[in-house]
Amino acid sequence: MREPILKVNNLHYSYGTGNPALKGVSVNIYNGEKIAVIGSNGSGKSTFFLNANGVLKADHGEISYQGTVINKKNLKELRKNIGIVFQDADNQIIASTVMAEVGFGPMNLKLPREEVLHRVDEALTYMNILDFKDRPPHYLSGGEKKRVTIADIIAMKSEVIIFDEPTAALDPLNAQMLEDVLVKLGQEGKTMLISTHDVDFAYRWAERAIVFDRGKIIADGTPLEIFKNREILKQANLKRPTMLDVYEMLVEKKMVKNTDAYPTTPKELKILLENNLYYPESSVPMI
Amino acid sequence: MENSSAKRLDFVRTNEKSDNSHHHYKHHHQIGHKHGEGSAIDYYAYASKIRGWNPSFKVAFSVLTLLLCIVLNNPLVSLAVIVSMAYLTVVKGGLPLGAYLSVLMIPLTFIILGTVAIGIDFSRQPIGQFNLYLGFGYLYTSIAKLKEMVFLMMKVFGAISAMIMMTLSTPSSEIIGVLRKAHVPKLIIELMNLIYRYIFILLDVFNNMRNSADSRQGYCDFKTSCQTFGNVASNMLVLSLKKANAYYTAMEARGYEGDLVFLEDEKPFQISQVIYAVGFMLFLLLLWYVTK
Ligand SMILES: Nc1ncnc2c1ncn2[C@@H]1O[C@H](COP(=O)(O)OP(=O)(O)OP(=O)(O)O)[C@@H](O)[C@H]1O
Ligand SMILES: [Mg+2]
């Protein structure tokens, strides 16, 4: 068995006086995994992320990073290795130019100036915002700010990257661009956790899905397993991905053979249709 | 609000093709203050075409000009400063003249109000070269006094336009960077940086709250307006505390350990600019010497 890169054990957390936001969360995350974290509003996703990054201190339970249990002394290591893109971009941006903002993390890592500049350029190019470099963040739009905050974390080159609803503010083109960036980051071997309400995105991108409901993990498995389980979907207020519905309908109406190769994108469906059209033996296909 | 979003658009254009952006600006700018002048000045600084000049140079140049203008105490020097600073800001910096005048309006009002007291005096006897009988006494003045007043006005105006040249071409973050290089204590620098960013966040929050209240008839009559204002104000307090917390969290998540250091753009000194600047100073001195 592989050693998990991040191991969370029986985590409890409550905000100030209020109700508990996390009630015993345990999960093992392995190197290079692409995980979608799903669940309804207020189910505890953001809280879980902040705990995993060591920003919120759990009331109970422990977190280990690469086998080392995190305590006050090695908290810095955890933060260095786990980057988090916050849900609200305005809570993350602290500098007054985009360049200074993206350079903030690398500067805190005490990297030499040349390296910082290089990383800033690289991250801005990744997010397609190189020409915003000298602009002040307070004159950017919501989606542009979001892209800046994503570049922030890319520039830190942390092993594990957490995105809290990254696609929420983006237009379709930039959401697609972000997906391309995620693929690139995946090829670099990064471990990624993304919380999202976009089930279609979770279905096509993730290798593993974790479902939160009222501060607990109620399901953990491949997106296919989870989205086929109607009970879980109902409990977590989720809906089924369109591609899954389409595929099952095609199979049900005997239009494609049931190959268990579930398509997750229209492109995959097209390939499937080209190869697996269901022809009853006796009849001649009509075109 | 409409006005500011239109400006935002222009800003994008300015970046893309800074040469002909001039025309876009002009048609919708008039003298006056549509929204918070503070943020307008900040905005102009980012859009300025001489933003690329080395900020230390700009700060040093404008401070020296200001000092010369005050120390030399010469109307011609003041005039030269006023004209050349306007030239730098409007022609070199590409700021529309209307916008420049609107920024100057505030200090100008103060200067006029402040210097009138020097030029015009009050007395029970009809003295002075000109006087105006008001029933209970005389408002009087003289050519010499008026001259003194105008010269003072020009001196202050020159000094202020030197400062305004700096603020309209150098974003605050760069000015803070210059202060840091000048060894202003770290605590003050960090505070300035955070406050600067915070101002915009709170302004944004405030604008959003006010607009959303407005769109829900929150300002329909006087009583409701007062109530809404109270709600918005108390909400601002809670929000700013929450935001401060969220901020600290986000900074910690990116490895903040008590030292706030930002990446600064290095804008090289241009020798030609320094030579021009020295030439300008010498010219001012010469002007003073000749007309002394
Ligand atoms: N700063 C806070 N102070 C007090 N309670 C909070 C705070 N943030 C979240 N909560 C509460 O904690 C619970 C979990 O919230 P969390 O933000 O983790 O949800 P989430 O799964 O990220 O939801 P969403 O999909 O809306 O982002 C909610 O019941 C929420 O009301
Ligand atoms: Mg959330």
Side-chain angles (χ1 to χ4, degrees):
Chain A
M1 227 349 266
R2 284 190 295 165
E3 180 71 15
I5 186 167
L6 185 70
K7 191 172 167 167
V8 176
N9 194 9
N10 196 22
L11 199 69
H12 287 261
Y13 185 86
S14 45
Y15 283 99
T17 53
N19 291 339
L22 294 180
K23 307 174 209 166
V25 170
S26 302
V27 66
N28 287 344
I29 288 156
Y30 297 93
N31 201 3
E33 275 189 317
K34 297 198 263 180
I35 303 176
V37 176
I38 46 188
S40 54
N41 290 138
S43 56
K45 304 180 297 291
S46 301
T47 313
F48 169 67
F49 286 163
L50 291 176
N51 273 284
N53 175 271
V55 170
L56 294 182
K57 279 123 203 129
D59 304 334
H60 186 76
E62 63 177 26
I63 298 173
S64 12
Y65 184 78
Q66 291 191 322
T68 324
V69 177
I70 298 302
N71 51 31
K72 271 211 175 107
K73 277 181 210 128
N74 51 24
L75 197 60
K76 276 181 205 163
E77 277 304 298
L78 184 72
R79 291 200 182 131
K80 204 159 128 186
N81 288 304
I82 302 187
I84 171 165
V85 179
F86 284 76
Q87 188 165 355
D88 183 354
D90 265 329
N91 285 345
Q92 184 178 328
I93 295 178
I94 87 144
S96 355
T97 63
V98 168
M99 185 178 81
E101 169 61 20
V102 177
F104 182 70
M107 292 286 271
N108 285 334
L109 297 177
K110 307 277 182 287
L111 296 170
R113 193 183 150 82
E114 302 307 306
E115 173 69 13
V116 175
L117 284 173
H118 173 72
R119 283 191 180 194
V120 169
D121 274 357
E122 192 183 42
L124 291 177
T125 315
Y126 255 52
M127 289 317 296
N128 194 27
I129 43 175
L130 197 57
D131 33 330
F132 292 179
K133 199 170 165 183
D134 292 323
R135 284 178 54 183
H138 45 263
Y139 298 128
L140 295 180
S141 82
E144 289 165 348
K145 279 188 218 166
K146 190 82 208 186
R147 278 147 71 195
V148 171
T149 59
I150 295 170
D152 278 352
I153 303 306
I154 291 177
M156 289 185 73
K157 296 202 184 226
S158 32
E159 278 309 303
V160 181
I161 307 181
I162 296 174
F163 296 87
D164 202 349
E165 286 176 43
T167 50
L170 301 184
D171 64 35
L173 181 73
N174 280 303
Q176 184 53 50
M177 219 168 253
L178 177 67
E179 266 192 73
D180 297 342
V181 171
L182 293 179
V183 169
K184 243 194 260 177
L185 291 173
Q187 283 160 356
E188 287 169 20
K190 304 273 188 231
T191 312
M192 283 177 279
L193 283 101
I194 301 188
S195 83
T196 180
H197 294 295
D198 181 348
V199 285
D200 295 307
F201 164 74
Y203 184 57
R204 66 177 175 263
W205 174 81
E207 293 167 350
R208 178 178 169 192
I210 298 177
V211 185
F212 272 76
D213 182 43
R214 275 164 279 175
K216 282 195 179 127
I217 293 182
I218 56 163
D220 181 352
T222 64
L224 189 61
E225 281 164 13
I226 293 200
F227 287 119
K228 281 170 99 179
N229 187 333
R230 292 190 185 267
E231 221 163 276
I232 289 171
L233 297 189
K234 190 154 174 264
Q235 197 182 341
N237 291 336
L238 289 168
K239 72 179 184 47
R240 282 160 64 91
T242 315
M243 289 310 291
L244 183 59
D245 272 342
V246 169
Y247 179 75
E248 290 195 342
M249 265 182 245
L250 287 175
V251 171
E252 194 190 355
K253 301 279 180 216
K254 300 222 171 347
M255 290 174 79
V256 293
K257 285 180 240 170
N258 190 353
T259 54
D260 275 336
Y262 283 76
T264 58
T265 60
K267 211 167 142 197
E268 282 177 27
L269 180 67
K270 188 171 172 234
I271 295 170
L272 188 88
L273 287 177
E274 276 162 2
N275 301 334
N276 289 308
L277 265 185
Y278 189 89
Y279 307 128
E281 256 126 66
S282 55
S283 68
V284 179
M286 296 209 299
I287 295 165
Chain B
M1 269 339 272
E2 268 161 42
N3 188 33
S4 88
S5 63
K7 271 188 214 152
R8 273 169 218 210
L9 264 181
D10 264 350
F11 185 46
V12 177
R13 287 195 210 126
T14 322
N15 263 10
E16 279 165 3
K17 28 179 178 170
S18 41
D19 291 332
N20 53 11
S21 62
H22 227 80
H23 313 288
H24 293 305
Y25 265 109
K26 259 177 188 158
H27 58 271
H28 61 233
H29 212 289
Q30 64 276 74
I31 302 177
H33 321 289
K34 268 288 169 59
H35 58 139
E37 201 56 51
S39 72
I41 290 178
D42 176 74
Y43 179 84
Y44 297 144
Y46 282 104
S48 171
K49 279 194 244 161
I50 54 174
R51 186 186 157 193
W53 292 8
N54 181 292
S56 308
F57 166 75
K58 275 186 286 190
V59 172
F61 176 65
S62 63
V63 170
L64 278 178
T65 307
L66 176 140
L67 286 180
L68 278 181
C69 188
I70 290 175
V71 171
L72 297 186
N73 195 12
N74 177 312
L76 278 178
V77 170
S78 307
L79 191 68
V81 170
I82 293 172
V83 171
S84 46
M85 290 302 134
Y87 172 79
L88 274 183
T89 315
V90 176
V91 179
K92 285 277 178 188
L95 184 73
L97 190 63
Y100 184 60
L101 292 180
S102 109
V103 171
L104 283 181
M105 268 330 240
I106 299 174
L108 202 62
T109 322
F110 278 105
I111 294 170
I112 291 173
L113 287 179
T115 46
V116 158
I118 292 168
I120 298 169
D121 221 334
F122 185 77
S123 156
R124 293 214 167 270
Q125 265 73 52
I127 49 171
Q129 275 168 304
F130 313 100
N131 53 48
L132 182 69
Y133 184 58
L134 290 177
F136 49 91
Y138 293 89
L139 223 46
Y140 72 95
T141 184
S142 65
I143 296 280
K145 267 184 172 262
L146 282 180
K147 232 168 121 182
E148 192 190 347
M149 174 180 120
V150 170
F151 287 176
L152 184 67
M153 227 184 243
M154 281 169 65
K155 185 168 87 170
V156 178
F157 194 55
I160 283 178
S161 52
M163 276 292 115
I164 282 187
M165 188 281 289
M166 177 183 86
T167 40
L168 285 181
S169 66
T170 324
S172 305
S173 56
E174 288 178 15
I175 295 181
I176 297 170
V178 174
L179 293 179
R180 189 182 56 78
K181 283 194 193 122
H183 298 287
V184 170
K186 211 175 75 185
L187 180 70
I188 295 178
I189 297 295
E190 291 185 356
L191 272 175
M192 287 173 86
N193 263 318
L194 288 180
I195 289 171
Y196 175 61
R197 170 79 186 120
Y198 221 81
I199 287 172
F200 288 98
I201 302 232
L202 289 185
L203 263 181
D204 241 25
V205 169
F206 175 70
N207 275 333
N208 287 343
M209 274 201 286
R210 201 193 43 198
N211 289 344
S212 92
D214 205 9
S215 73
R216 286 175 292 161
Q217 293 295 307
Y219 296 97
C220 60
D221 56 40
F222 182 71
K223 195 169 156 241
T224 324
S225 297
C226 289
Q227 219 162 21
T228 309
F229 178 78
N231 284 342
V232 167
S234 63
N235 214 2
M236 282 289 282
L237 178 69
V238 176
L239 256 174
S240 55
L241 292 177
K242 264 202 77 165
K243 285 254 173 199
N245 202 20
Y247 248 109
Y248 189 67
T249 308
M251 278 163 65
E252 273 200 310
R254 281 197 286 159
Y256 169 75
E257 284 162 13
D259 260 336
L260 200 59
V261 267
F262 289 111
L263 181 61
E264 279 165 17
D265 212 358
E266 303 250 292
K267 292 173 177 162
F269 268 114
Q270 272 171 1
I271 297 297
S272 63
Q273 285 170 5
V274 180
I275 293 172
Y276 273 121
V278 172
F280 178 67
M281 305 280 165
L282 288 179
F283 166 73
L284 290 184
L285 283 171
L286 198 71
L287 199 62
W288 166 74
Y289 188 75
V290 172
T291 58
K292 191 164 55 160

